Amino acid sequence: MKVSGRKTGSALSHAPDNWHAVDWRRVERNVRGMQIRIAKATREGNWRRVKALQRMLTRTLSAKLYAVRRVTQNQGARTAGVDRELWDSPESRWAAVGRLKRRGYRPLPLRRVFIPKANGKERPLGIPTMRDRAMQALYLLALEPVSESTSEPNSYGFRRNRSTADAKSQIFVCTSKKASAQWILEADIKGCFDHINHDWLEQHVPMDVEILRKWLKAGLIYKGQLQATEAGTPQGGIISPTLANVTLNGLEHELLKHLRARYGVVKASKLKVNVVRYADDFVITGNSKELLENEVKPWVEAFLDVRGLRLSEEKTRVCHIDDGFDFLGWNFRKYSGKLLIKPSKKNVKTFYRKVAETISGNKEATQEGLILLLNPMLRGWAQYHSPVVAKQAYSRIEHLVFKKLWRWCRRRHPQKNASWVRKKYFHTVGKRTWVFGASIAEDDGSTWLLELFRPSSTPIRRTKKVTGEYNPFDVRWEQYGETLRQERMWLSKRYRKQWVSLYMSQNGLCAHCGQGLTEETGWHDHHLTYRMLGGSDAISNRVLLHPDCHRQVHAGKLVVTKPVLL
């Protein structure tokens, strides 16, 4: 791969000659610096400069390296497109960097696959090739700073450091008080990703229009036949969620602007209209049913129609807060004037069905194997609902799972009585009886009990809502973003306590390159003295590294030291 010798703010001063030689710390610093400049130009309204900086970023070696690393480290890295090509070696990744060029670029059609949805239907996905994914990741680096700088404060889907818990907290703010809005427009866009108008995207998305048009018109292959794509941005592409967010930006701002122009600023504020959106699902509050049905809903339908979208009739309704509504897997409802947020009945039912299918589909598995399958599911579901009133739902799931496991145990031993089955599969731990667990024997002869995770053991913790104006590409919010991310990681039980301790001791930075460790980048647990050489599992012998840094350390036999905090 040829690297230009011109000196630019984003060029690597010492160009690497292989994948393991990449200085990821410099790469991330270069990309981050350019993104901050793009965001600044966006806030100033200097669109000519935005376009020039975007063009500059997508042509730099740093951005191309960053894009290739992203698509080869995420969960879809093992899923090939229509060309069946995977970049599963350092050599293939290094060669791929040189192929990320605008001139002559022509994306291949998407590979159509379907995945099941909670309602029994199937969700269509379009799987791009690895090269097309990398090109999307490359141009997303230039689009995301613009998207974040122009997004609305109460849009929470597919944005950095924003989550469903933030959307939930904002709805609580808008509806919990006695004087809050009592009526809710619960809305859902029908097939949002599949019906966005291509012409609207080309005219309003601030990125290279020629590249965007090629992606939109690439077509897809299903059952061996090529199908044209006349509308939509297929789910499965890295850039698709951001394109959907750009499409729906303005829903909150333009609606409030419309109401102020129609009723005046003072009267409009008394209407108590608030918009909370997560991806293509959103709720709008109001002080009357007539306002939402006769004024707000028609305006929303007109807003979406310009973009080629329309509301789903079966999922869109106006309801009173005392009757409650479901949003993002939770039920929001006031009981005697007090707002309570609980896991929705539909969410609990869908989750139990998934657990039951896992148990039924593993009739021949060992008890240990079944527990290892169920624990991540139970733990993830319980942690998702940990910010709400979920103890009753936790107990309900535990009861249903116990009954299913008891049938699983009895089926394996039809000739044994219940007492024998109980002694074999269930244990007493402290004051708890009927603990489903497997005894694990260690090499030294000791044993320990692998228990089935109990959702009721998950503590209820309220989340701190992200500030609506937060922009991850604005240097003024840098410290706020770091503090927010570390606080949330500290509270998250998904990470083992030892990993959290390591993360905090390293100030959230990779021990090799010094750049941030995030859920997006992932991390590996590296032993300073290798275990095969007698190294222990003690925290003093471990550090956290980026996955690529970890591979780089091992490939180059580099020495990593424990960070010393000043």
Side-chain angles (χ1 to χ4, degrees):
M1 181 179 62
K2 295 182 180 180
V3 180
S4 173
R6 293 180 300 172
K7 294 183 178 180
T8 69
S10 300
L12 294 175
S13 57
H14 300 286
D17 56 3
N18 64 78
W19 187 256
H20 289 310
V22 175
D23 183 351
W24 292 109
R25 184 174 184 176
R26 182 180 293 274
V27 165
E28 291 200 24
R29 187 169 64 243
N30 290 342
V31 171
R32 176 77 173 169
M34 289 292 292
Q35 289 181 317
I36 290 174
R37 293 170 64 188
I38 293 173
K40 183 174 183 293
T42 302
R43 294 194 302 274
E44 295 172 349
N46 190 344
W47 296 105
R48 178 174 293 183
R49 181 165 176 77
V50 168
K51 187 175 181 179
L53 290 171
Q54 286 182 319
R55 183 167 57 248
M56 186 185 304
L57 176 59
T58 55
R59 295 180 180 182
T60 61
L61 176 61
S62 291
K64 293 178 181 180
L65 287 166
Y66 195 99
V68 171
R69 185 174 72 163
R70 175 171 180 177
V71 300
T72 54
Q73 284 188 352
N74 61 21
Q75 293 182 349
R78 298 180 182 179
T79 305
V82 293
D83 61 354
R84 301 295 176 183
E85 180 181 357
L86 291 176
W87 298 341
D88 52 4
S89 68
E91 291 75 21
S92 60
R93 294 170 188 170
W94 180 249
V97 175
R99 296 169 57 194
L100 300 185
K101 298 178 180 179
R102 183 181 186 277
R103 169 175 278 185
Y105 170 66
R106 184 175 182 180
L108 293 176
L110 308 169
R111 182 164 68 90
R112 173 68 89 196
V113 297
F114 292 88
I115 60 174
K117 296 172 63 175
N119 58 8
K121 298 181 181 179
E122 291 185 321
R123 184 188 305 277
L125 292 183
I127 309 299
T129 64
M130 291 298 293
R131 185 191 180 198
D132 294 336
R133 270 177 258 175
M135 285 293 285
Q136 289 189 18
L138 176 63
Y139 279 85
L140 179 58
L141 290 174
L143 174 61
E144 198 172 13
V146 183
S147 172
E148 281 290 340
S149 300
T150 56
S151 289
E152 295 167 316
N154 294 312
S155 164
Y156 297 98
F158 305 115
R159 295 180 62 189
R160 295 194 184 189
N161 283 345
R162 292 173 185 251
S163 64
T164 54
D166 292 310
K168 177 267 303 175
S169 298
Q170 181 60 25
I171 294 177
F172 183 87
V173 170
C174 297
T175 58
S176 60
K177 297 179 181 178
K178 186 176 181 180
S180 297
Q182 300 296 302
W183 291 92
I184 310 293
L185 170 63
E186 181 189 359
D188 180 82
I189 300 173
K190 186 174 183 178
C192 176
F193 286 87
D194 296 326
H195 298 102
I196 300 177
N197 185 284
H198 284 181
D199 292 335
W200 191 95
L201 286 173
E202 292 175 15
Q203 293 171 16
H204 294 87
V205 176
M207 65 169 290
D208 190 315
V209 177
E210 184 177 340
I211 293 293
L212 176 60
R213 184 182 298 114
K214 288 181 178 180
W215 286 335
L216 297 176
K217 302 298 184 182
L220 55 90
I221 291 180
Y222 180 58
K223 293 183 177 180
Q225 295 185 345
L226 177 63
Q227 301 176 4
T229 47
E230 301 299 334
T233 168
Q235 297 183 63
I238 289 178
I239 204 170
S240 293
T242 303
L243 293 179
N245 268 340
V246 172
T247 302
L248 296 176
N249 277 342
L251 180 63
E252 178 181 0
H253 175 74
E254 295 298 329
L255 173 58
L256 296 178
K257 183 179 177 181
H258 163 75
L259 294 175
R260 291 180 188 127
R262 180 175 176 83
Y263 297 102
V265 176
V266 176
K267 189 174 180 180
S269 65
K270 295 180 180 179
L271 298 177
K272 302 174 184 177
V273 173
N274 298 280
V275 181
V276 181
R277 180 171 67 85
Y278 188 90
D280 57 341
D281 295 331
F282 59 92
V283 296
I284 302 177
T285 66
N287 66 351
S288 70
K289 184 177 182 180
E290 293 72 21
L291 170 70
L292 295 178
E293 286 186 339
N294 302 328
E295 182 73 31
V296 173
K297 186 178 177 182
W299 184 92
V300 171
E301 290 174 337
F303 174 87
L304 296 176
D305 184 64
V306 176
R307 293 155 174 78
L309 304 172
R310 60 192 178 95
L311 294 175
S312 170
E313 294 183 4
E314 58 184 24
K315 295 182 181 180
T316 301
R317 69 188 184 104
V318 176
C319 62
H320 195 274
I321 191 65
D322 289 344
D323 298 325
F325 65 95
D326 292 347
F327 187 63
L328 302 176
W330 292 306
N331 178 261
F332 299 76
R333 183 179 176 183
K334 273 189 174 180
Y335 299 82
S336 301
K338 182 177 181 180
L339 179 67
L340 294 182
I341 307 173
K342 303 178 181 181
S344 67
K345 292 181 180 179
K346 180 181 177 182
N347 180 273
V348 174
K349 183 178 180 180
T350 301
F351 176 70
Y352 171 68
R353 188 186 302 121
K354 180 181 177 182
V355 173
E357 289 174 354
T358 301
I359 296 173
S360 300
N362 289 275
K363 295 183 175 68
E364 306 302 324
T366 63
Q367 186 182 15
E368 176 188 352
L370 183 61
I371 292 174
L372 292 176
L373 284 174
L374 294 178
N375 276 357
M377 298 167 59
L378 293 168
R379 185 178 291 110
W381 179 80
Q383 288 172 351
Y384 179 80
H385 294 295
S386 63
V388 303
V389 183
K391 287 298 183 181
Q392 186 177 358
Y394 290 165
S395 298
R396 175 66 176 165
I397 283 293
E398 284 186 9
H399 174 68
L400 293 174
V401 171
F402 167 78
K403 291 174 64 177
K404 190 70 177 178
L405 288 173
W406 180 247
R407 290 194 292 271
W408 180 84
C409 296
R410 291 301 301 269
R411 180 188 177 279
R412 295 165 70 90
H413 307 282
Q415 305 301 322
K416 300 294 184 178
N417 59 35
S419 178
W420 186 94
V421 173
R422 175 184 175 178
K423 290 180 180 179
K424 179 173 177 62
Y425 291 100
F426 295 87
H427 304 262
T428 298
V429 179
K431 296 182 179 180
R432 293 188 296 121
T433 57
W434 290 89
V435 176
F436 189 75
S439 296
I440 308 298
E442 296 289 358
D443 295 336
D444 58 2
S446 62
T447 61
W448 59 281
L449 186 66
L450 174 64
E451 298 181 33
L452 183 72
F453 178 79
R454 294 182 303 122
S456 61
S457 66
T458 305
I460 301 300
R461 287 197 177 100
R462 305 297 178 225
T463 54
K464 180 181 178 181
K465 190 183 82 70
V466 65
T467 300
E469 293 74 25
Y470 167 66
N471 184 345
F473 299 102
D474 188 342
V475 292
R476 295 173 297 180
W477 292 96
E478 184 76 21
Q479 186 175 356
Y480 173 85
E482 283 297 311
T483 303
L484 180 70
R485 184 166 57 88
Q486 291 187 23
E487 286 177 351
R488 292 185 171 183
M489 192 168 290
W490 178 258
L491 293 175
S492 176
K493 293 296 183 181
R494 285 182 298 172
Y495 303 94
R496 291 186 296 182
K497 291 182 179 180
Q498 291 184 342
W499 287 4
V500 175
S501 297
L502 287 170
Y503 177 89
M504 300 300 287
S505 69
Q506 296 176 205
N507 276 346
L509 304 177
C510 172
H512 177 62
C513 71
Q515 294 300 296
L517 296 162
T518 66
E519 292 186 25
E520 181 179 340
T521 64
W523 58 65
H524 285 178
D525 196 341
H526 174 70
H527 287 68
L528 302 177
T529 301
Y530 297 168
R531 281 176 291 183
M532 67 177 63
L533 300 179
S536 70
D537 283 330
I539 290 182
S540 59
N541 188 49
R542 291 154 56 196
V543 292
L544 298 180
L545 306 175
H546 288 125
D548 258 305
C549 290
H550 197 200
R551 285 187 282 268
Q552 188 172 337
V553 166
H554 280 273
K557 297 181 179 180
L558 306 178
V559 177
V560 179
T561 58
K562 197 78 173 177
V564 178
L565 301 181
L566 300 178

